[in-house]
Amino acid sequence: MKGFAALQAEQRANAFKQANELKAYMEAALAQRLSEVSGASKSVAVDVTLPGSAVPQGRLHPVTQTMDAILACFIPMGFEIADGPELEFEYYNFDALNIPRDHPSRESFDTFFVDAPSPQPQKGRLLLRSHTSPVQIRVMERRKPPLRIVVPGKVFRPDPLDAGHSFMFHQVEGLMVDDRTSFADLKGVLEQFLAALFGPGTKTRFRPHFFPFTEPSAEVDLACASCRGGGCSTCGQKGWVEIMGCGMVHPNVFKAVGYDANKVQGFAFGLGVERIAMLKHGIKDIRLFFENDLRFLEQF
Ligand code: DAH
């Protein structure tokens, strides 16, 4: 209003009139709002401790969460993450892993063969990989030891769908190769992994087993979390649940990738991600992971 002094007399009077009206209006409005607000704080107080309304938020799929948790255990131990193709050659899925054609061990890996001509017939037919182990070969072909990798990925098997089987599921493969790597290293790494994932004090046992690509081989069992070893329906009365396969890399596997089996040693392991997620969360049916029912997914 100070600036009004510069105006012509007539304009000045008008400006003052309008400005005063505006001032009165604003003062009245402010006074009214102040009395409303101060009244409110005395009577119907705003409860600032009430929870706000939730903002809908997306989340990671439980299989992804479990996969991330598994990989996170290996990163501090110096493992890097590698991957390979889901559409694979017979050579990588079988031959290079010491699973010869016509060998009965091939039958334990039921496989989806792809009905298309192979772009590299010397590597055999095309298939959907039935495990993540072929990535061991692909990485060793390209790189020299020492190596420490973990490989997450989808695998496929023509199993009829039921509570325990799905034609697609996820695995994490591991491989460590160095000039001196022993079964004790394998046990140490896997025990540390299982303690990190399932909590310290988790009971495990290594049981002799057979895999064509490792020698010696073992399966790792976890003391059943439902019955703590006593035997129940979750563990089929055994007290233990099998959770992974492992072993010392077979010399024929090293030969296939051009490593000198007399100079390097290594261990490998493979586990099913859905199986781990089911054990961790007490989920009884693998199909729940793939039905995209929000009532299930929103619990994670
Ligand atoms: N590839 C095996 C399977 O799918 C799992 C496995 C067992 C992987 C032993 C390994 C291993 O690397 O050493 O049943």
Side-chain angles (χ1 to χ4, degrees), residues 63-101:
V63 170
T64 310
Q65 289 184 30
T66 307
M67 186 101 96
D68 289 351
I70 293 167
L71 297 175
C73 299
F74 289 101
I75 304 303
M77 291 193 265
F79 285 74
E80 47 179 305
I81 297 173
D83 69 358
E86 291 165 10
L87 183 61
E88 189 50 285
F89 290 106
E90 225 171 345
Y91 173 76
Y92 292 104
N93 199 78
F94 293 123
D95 307 72
L97 286 164
N98 194 35
I99 317 176
R101 298 197 185 172

Side-chain angles (χ1 to χ4, degrees), residues 109 130-131 133 136 157 171 173-174 211 213-214 245-247 268-270:
F109 296 94
S130 56
H131 52 176
S133 304
Q136 292 185 27
R157 293 183 194 175
Q171 286 188 335
E173 187 82 13
F211 294 105
F213 28 88
T214 44
C246 62
F269 57 87

Side-chain angles (χ1 to χ4, degrees), residues 85-102 106 109 111-114 118-142 212-213 250-259:
E86 291 165 10
L87 183 61
E88 189 50 285
F89 290 106
E90 225 171 345
Y91 173 76
Y92 292 104
N93 199 78
F94 293 123
D95 307 72
L97 286 164
N98 194 35
I99 317 176
R101 298 197 185 172
D102 307 324
R106 235 180 231 219
F109 296 94
T111 307
F112 283 116
F113 284 91
V114 174
S118 172
Q120 295 181 51
Q122 74 282 10
K123 290 189 172 164
R125 289 175 286 173
L126 281 174
L127 47 78
L128 296 180
R129 67 178 177 197
S130 56
H131 52 176
T132 42
S133 304
V135 186
Q136 292 185 27
I137 305 296
R138 286 184 172 272
V139 171
M140 286 192 283
E141 266 188 348
R142 301 197 294 269
F213 28 88
H250 196 289
N252 288 350
V253 173
F254 284 143
K255 242 174 256 163
V257 297
Y259 284 10

